[in-house]
Amino acid sequence: MATVPAPITFVATTVLTAAQMNTNVRDSVNFLVAPPSFVGRSTTGMSTTSGAWTAMTLDTELLDGDNAHSTTTNTARFTANTTGWYLVTANCEFVANSTGGRQIRITVNGTSTLASGSVPASTAYAVNCSTMLRLVVGDFVQAEVLQSSGGSLALATTPAIGDNRVSVQWVHA
């Protein structure tokens, strides 16, 4: 778990120690250089059922700077270990199918939809959305996808536009 630095307010009589310099300078710089961040991909061509929201499994981690994701348990979730404001972006691309529409949404704790995107299948197969949201330790974010082709439809394993991914970046306390 990353700790958001809370630097000391120095006064005229403050005598700096090595410990204070480490806590108030080194640790702050280290946090800003590598804030809590995550990028996960869905690479297996997961299948979706027409008309049913499906959490996008993230089987590959490109970055997990705050140990906030597991590739074995609840693989669709980014679980906040640091409280703050986050920028969350979700992208997916379905295999080609000209029937119905495609949607993606970002949810918090499995219920609250905070952002969504949609396209008719006749125009594109790729969908994305993003939002800024405040998370506290233990809140989880996931991307959920929906399609209305009338049958089973998979996410593309080699997307032509972008990637099947969720990106989460801590931006502010």
Side-chain angles (χ1 to χ4, degrees), residues 46 48 52-54 56 92 94 103-104 143-147 155:
M46 65 173 267
T48 64
W53 284 102
T54 305
M56 188 165 64
C92 74
F94 289 87
Q103 296 182 52
I104 192 167
E144 297 176 351
V145 296
L146 176 76
Q147 54 87 10
L155 293 184

Side-chain angles (χ1 to χ4, degrees), residues 38 53-58 69 74-79 88-90 104-115 129 131 133 135 139-145 165-168:
F38 169 74
W53 284 102
T54 305
M56 188 165 64
T57 57
L58 305 169
H69 176 262
N74 294 321
T75 61
R77 296 179 180 183
F78 165 89
T79 303
V88 181
T89 303
I104 192 167
R105 69 183 181 187
I106 296 168
T107 64
V108 174
N109 299 328
T111 57
S112 303
T113 300
L114 297 178
C129 64
T131 188
L133 54 97
L135 299 174
D139 282 347
F140 69 88
V141 173
Q142 60 188 20
E144 297 176 351
V145 296
R165 78 170 54 201
V166 174
S167 303
V168 184

Side-chain angles (χ1 to χ4, degrees), residues 9-16:
T9 300
F10 295 100
V11 295
T13 58
T14 301
V15 176
L16 293 176

Side-chain angles (χ1 to χ4, degrees), residues 50-135:
S50 183
W53 284 102
T54 305
M56 188 165 64
T57 57
L58 305 169
D59 54 58
T60 303
E61 293 177 349
L62 302 177
L63 170 67
D64 188 4
D66 202 16
N67 196 28
H69 176 262
S70 171
T71 56
T72 57
T73 304
N74 294 321
T75 61
R77 296 179 180 183
F78 165 89
T79 303
N81 289 323
T82 303
T83 296
W85 283 91
Y86 288 82
L87 173 62
V88 181
T89 303
N91 309 291
C92 74
E93 183 174 332
F94 289 87
V95 297
N97 181 305
S98 60
T99 305
R102 312 289 178 263
Q103 296 182 52
I104 192 167
R105 69 183 181 187
I106 296 168
T107 64
V108 174
N109 299 328
T111 57
S112 303
T113 300
L114 297 178
S116 63
S118 63
V119 294
S122 59
T123 60
Y125 309 118
V127 193
N128 62 64
C129 64
S130 63
T131 188
M132 289 270 297
L133 54 97
R134 182 158 177 79
L135 299 174

